[in-house]
């Protein structure tokens, strides 16, 4: 669910980029197309950095609970706090996303120039979990992307992206809930499925 809110923000930013840069900064369509390149660079850097970052968090949480890490057969996730491990550092990127999205909205308004946990907690049905996540996030994004221009026209670019930035806060709230209660829910689901 929190990933859906962040995906909404991502889709809305992508949807607004080219048309906004053409209208606000008077770029031609070729120039406006180049504004997508930083997303590509960011995705590459994010993949490299976030993979190492979440692996480090995993090791730290395992050590703090006195649990070994079995790289060959995998860890027993029933007894491992994977939610704590995978969401240990989630608030910093979420806050950075919040600040970035709000800043983007207001800078454009004033004409001035973020799946691993999902698969781990559903490792018996990872494809189903990913498909379910995609259905929710894409459906939610489709609704908001479909109404984005109406929202921008009604309240302005700055306020529209302040509203979208607040979705980062909502995502952060859901990440905290998952981190606090996820293991308990996962163990209860495992017990219910084995009875």
């Amino acid at each position: 669910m929190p990933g859906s809110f962040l995906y909404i923000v991502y889709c809305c930013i992508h949807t607004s980029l080219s048309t906004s840069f053409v209208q606000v900064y008077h770029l031609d369509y070729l120039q406006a197309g180049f504004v997508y390149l930083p997303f590509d660079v960011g995705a590459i850097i994010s993949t490299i950095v976030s993979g190492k970052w979440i692996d480090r968090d995993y090791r730290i949480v395992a050590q703090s609970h006195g649990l070994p890490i079995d790289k060959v057969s995998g860890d027993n996730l029933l007894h491992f706090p994977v939610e704590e491990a995978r969401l240990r550092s989630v608030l910093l990127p979420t806050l950075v996303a919040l600040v970035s999205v709000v800043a983007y909205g207001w800078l454009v308004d004033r004409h001035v120039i973020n799946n691993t946990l999902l698969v781990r907690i559903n490792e018996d049905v990872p494809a189903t979990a990913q498909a379910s996540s995609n259905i929710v996030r894409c459906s939610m994004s489709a609704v908001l992307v479909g109404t984005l221009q109406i929202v921008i026209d009604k309240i302005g670019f700055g306020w529209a992206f302040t509203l979208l930035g607040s979705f980062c806060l909502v995502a952060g709230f859901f990440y905290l809930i998952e981190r606090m209660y996820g293991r308990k829910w996962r163990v209860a689901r495992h017990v219910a499925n084995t009875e």
Side-chain angles (χ1 to χ4, degrees), residues 43-65:
I44 292 168
I45 293 170
S46 173
T47 301
I48 295 166
V49 172
S50 65
K52 293 179 186 305
W53 193 352
I54 62 175
D55 287 348
R56 179 182 161 273
D57 283 350
Y58 194 89
R59 285 190 305 274
I60 289 170
V61 170
Q63 289 171 353
S64 72
H65 288 275

Side-chain angles (χ1 to χ4, degrees), residues 42-113:
I44 292 168
I45 293 170
S46 173
T47 301
I48 295 166
V49 172
S50 65
K52 293 179 186 305
W53 193 352
I54 62 175
D55 287 348
R56 179 182 161 273
D57 283 350
Y58 194 89
R59 285 190 305 274
I60 289 170
V61 170
Q63 289 171 353
S64 72
H65 288 275
L67 297 169
I69 297 175
D70 189 341
K71 292 183 179 180
V72 177
S73 62
D75 301 318
N76 182 348
L77 296 182
L78 190 59
H79 303 292
F80 190 92
V82 69
E83 294 82 5
E84 181 184 346
R86 291 302 186 210
L87 298 174
R88 181 176 181 271
S89 300
V90 76
L91 290 182
L92 177 62
T94 303
L95 288 174
V96 168
L98 165 66
V99 170
S100 300
V101 169
V102 172
Y104 165 71
W106 285 107
L107 290 171
V108 173
D109 188 71
R110 301 292 183 231
H111 299 194
V112 185
I113 292 192

